[in-house]
Amino acid sequence: MTSAEDDPYDVEKCAQWIQENELKQVCLQFPDNLLADSVKVALHLEKNIGQKVYILGDTTCGSCCVDEIAAQHINADGIIHFGHACLNPTIRLPVLHILPKQQFNIKKLDNEFKQTFQDNTSRIIFFYDVEYAHKIEYIYSILKPMYEHLVFSKLNCKSNVEYTDAKATPDRVILGRSYTLEEEYNIQDYEGFFLGEEGKALAILAMSIPVKKWYCFTNNKICEFEALNAPWLKRRRFLVEKLKDAKTVGIVVATLGIKEYLTAITTVKEALKRKNKKTYTLCIGKITPAKLANFPEIDAFVVIACPENEVFDSRDFLRPMLTPYEVELAFNTAREFCPHYFMDFRQILPGGIHHVDFKPSTDSDVSLISSDVRNCEDDGLSADQMNTLTIRSSGTVAIGMAGAQYLQERSWRGVEQRLGEDPVRPAEIGRTGLACQYTNEPLNTAERT
């Protein structure tokens, strides 16, 4: 291992955190690109603290999220997360984030910042990616004396960078970042600045925080960033229309550790139920197109996941992948049109900064996809139990089993018992050997003869 000054994993701070909290069962979580160093870090840490630590070799949902579920397999009482983090709050275990440390040209940033914001009275909120947090205190000392109304955000986590540690619980936390505005001003009076690449974190912040303009520092140059005109966002409006047409919706739980994820599941389920949508709740770990293709009877999926999850950008899935906010866009008439987009589901839950009480529509409308009229009458097809008899508005009695009905109508259904339909036969010896070449295959039979 390198010296303490050059150690990118801050083993000394990890040891100090474990000893201060008197933790006995600690898990180390690494992203895939850092797993090669995991054993070396774990051995060095064990030498410092005199006890065993555990390495999480694979994460349940994503590398940026703290995997409390995997840690509970050994009854862990703490987790140390290495690498890039989405900073979503957890609900079970204390967490220490060892943030990566990316170097950049601070002098170039200083010159570009002064050239872009020539008015020293400008009101600016300074955001940054987690990999630059180790330099923020130094940047603050350079820029703050020149800009009286410059507000620096903080990362709402316990980490190896002291400046990021928000001591008190702030009222506004967006993507793990908190900030405090001056009392006589609101968010619309500020401009936003982001130190980092034009990636997912910047896009989510720009869509969620309604500042006047957004700027980012990338490739040693400051440029203006516009997220609301992106083709990605325009496609989301199309998927909202697909959700309105859907009859069966799958609620995919892609996180088991983010705070209030259970409330999000309940909120989405209740909203869909009030619109007579049949729902299924699925928990499949990491989301892949192949896994969700096993549920062809589902017309659309609503994903409860980390806001930085890449499934919302992908075009590989068979069915539309939507967010809890898009459920409200589709069915909550009390939510007025807003030019911003909220990827973090905690913002729209009860108590969130953008929560709106749900009010379902009672009017008919026309589908923009199929041009059919959508009848919003209370049809009563959604039932709490799968064996509940329900009555359609036409008076027809039906069983509320959308998925089962789909399986009954399929021409191919797989292996069936067929009890009493086939003659009784004695048991026979099946295939033997390796799956790539069984002993009873023609090639092997010819060799033996």
Side-chain angles (χ1 to χ4, degrees):
M1 296 293 293
T2 58
S3 62
E5 292 79 8
D6 300 327
D7 181 12
Y9 297 102
D10 283 325
V11 174
E12 298 295 335
K13 290 188 177 180
C14 294
Q16 182 181 358
W17 180 75
I18 293 173
Q19 293 168 349
E20 288 178 352
N21 292 274
E22 299 181 352
L23 304 177
K24 302 302 180 183
Q25 300 277 89
V26 179
C27 286
L28 310 183
Q29 180 179 340
F30 294 84
D32 293 341
N33 62 314
L34 297 180
L35 275 176
D37 296 335
S38 61
V39 175
K40 182 169 57 176
V41 174
L43 293 175
H44 188 198
L45 182 58
E46 288 179 349
K47 183 179 179 180
N48 282 20
I49 63 177
Q51 66 185 56
K52 186 177 182 180
V53 297
Y54 299 84
I55 299 173
L56 299 181
D58 190 17
T59 54
T60 304
C61 295
S63 296
C64 66
C65 299
V66 177
D67 193 354
E68 293 182 310
I69 301 301
Q72 287 184 328
H73 291 167
I74 55 109
N75 295 321
D77 53 8
I79 300 176
I80 301 178
H81 183 281
F82 296 86
H84 176 77
C86 57
L87 304 181
N88 284 302
T90 55
I91 56 179
R92 299 179 181 90
L93 302 174
V95 179
L96 174 67
H97 287 278
I98 302 300
L99 303 177
K101 297 179 180 180
Q102 180 70 33
Q103 302 299 327
F104 64 99
N105 192 331
I106 297 181
K107 185 176 181 180
K108 186 68 174 178
L109 170 64
D110 182 28
N111 294 335
E112 286 285 326
F113 198 91
K114 294 174 182 177
Q115 188 174 7
T116 303
F117 303 101
Q118 298 182 6
D119 184 3
N120 292 346
T121 63
S122 299
R123 296 178 181 85
I124 308 164
I125 305 180
F126 194 107
F127 293 92
Y128 46 93
D129 212 343
V130 295
E131 58 193 13
Y132 301 111
H134 66 291
K135 292 293 184 180
I136 293 302
E137 193 168 3
Y138 179 61
I139 296 173
Y140 178 89
S141 66
I142 296 176
L143 297 179
K144 185 59 177 177
M146 298 186 59
Y147 296 91
E148 179 183 357
H149 302 290
L150 179 61
V151 175
F152 274 73
S153 64
K154 286 192 174 184
L155 305 182
N156 194 46
C157 67
K158 180 69 176 179
S159 74
N160 57 327
V161 182
E162 294 297 332
Y163 181 83
T164 66
D165 187 9
K167 305 299 181 182
T169 303
D171 295 332
R172 291 174 176 263
V173 180
I174 299 177
L175 202 61
R177 292 158 173 85
S178 60
Y179 56 91
T180 303
L181 304 179
E182 298 167 295
E183 293 183 0
E184 62 271 24
Y185 301 104
N186 55 38
I187 190 65
Q188 289 79 12
D189 298 323
Y190 287 82
E191 294 176 296
F193 178 83
F194 184 79
L195 173 59
E197 301 296 328
E198 294 185 8
K200 193 78 174 184
L202 173 57
I204 295 172
L205 289 172
M207 289 189 294
S208 303
I209 303 177
V211 295
K212 292 188 290 187
K213 285 184 180 180
W214 274 97
Y215 300 89
C216 67
F217 180 75
T218 179
N219 296 326
N220 290 328
K221 186 176 181 180
I222 293 179
C223 56
E224 188 173 343
F225 180 76
E226 182 62 56
L228 300 180
N229 292 332
W232 176 87
L233 191 58
K234 297 176 182 178
R235 183 173 179 267
R236 306 309 301 175
R237 304 293 184 183
F238 166 75
L239 296 182
V240 169
E241 286 297 317
K242 297 284 287 186
L243 177 61
K244 291 181 180 180
D245 290 342
K247 296 180 181 179
T248 306
V249 180
I251 302 175
V252 183
V253 184
T255 176
L256 297 175
I258 298 178
K259 189 177 181 180
E260 297 184 280
Y261 80 96
L262 291 174
T263 305
I265 296 172
T266 303
T267 302
V268 170
K269 187 179 297 185
E270 288 297 323
L272 294 172
K273 179 181 176 181
R274 295 180 68 175
K275 295 300 296 183
N276 300 322
K277 307 291 184 183
K278 189 67 183 179
T279 62
Y280 292 90
T281 303
L282 311 172
C283 186
I284 59 175
K286 291 182 180 179
I287 303 176
T288 63
K291 288 181 181 179
L292 294 185
N294 291 317
F295 307 96
E297 66 274 19
I298 294 179
D299 302 317
F301 294 96
V302 178
V303 184
I304 311 295
C306 162
E308 294 191 30
N309 201 305
E310 299 296 333
V311 300
F312 303 115
D313 302 334
S314 176
R315 293 175 177 266
D316 297 332
F317 291 91
L318 181 65
R319 298 287 189 249
M321 310 292 289
L322 299 110
T323 67
Y325 174 65
E326 288 164 340
V327 174
E328 292 221 340
L329 287 181
F331 305 123
N332 189 359
T333 57
R335 183 172 291 279
E336 299 179 356
F337 175 79
C338 175
H340 291 84
Y341 227 73
F342 311 117
M343 298 295 295
D344 189 345
F345 61 78
R346 290 177 292 116
Q347 298 181 44
I348 63 172
L349 296 180
I353 58 178
H354 296 291
H355 171 69
V356 176
D357 291 334
F358 188 84
K359 181 181 178 182
S361 173
T362 57
D363 300 327
S364 299
D365 65 341
V366 177
S367 170
L368 300 181
I369 305 298
S370 62
S371 300
D372 295 335
V373 176
R374 288 189 287 246
N375 191 347
C376 297
E377 294 180 0
D378 188 7
D379 219 16
L381 286 177
S382 182
D384 291 333
Q385 298 181 0
M386 291 297 292
N387 60 354
T388 302
L389 289 175
T390 60
I391 301 178
R392 297 176 185 258
S393 55
S394 61
T396 305
V397 177
I399 298 178
M401 300 176 63
Q405 183 180 1
Y406 176 87
L407 294 176
Q408 290 175 356
E409 295 175 353
R410 282 203 309 196
S411 59
W412 183 86
R413 303 177 188 174
V415 179
E416 299 173 340
Q417 290 184 331
R418 298 178 56 84
L419 296 176
E421 299 182 23
D422 298 320
V424 178
R425 296 180 180 178
E428 298 179 0
I429 298 177
R431 292 181 176 181
T432 58
L434 298 177
C436 64
Q437 191 175 7
Y438 291 110
T439 55
N440 61 342
E441 290 186 356
L443 180 61
N444 287 340
T445 305
E447 291 177 354
R448 287 197 298 267
T449 57

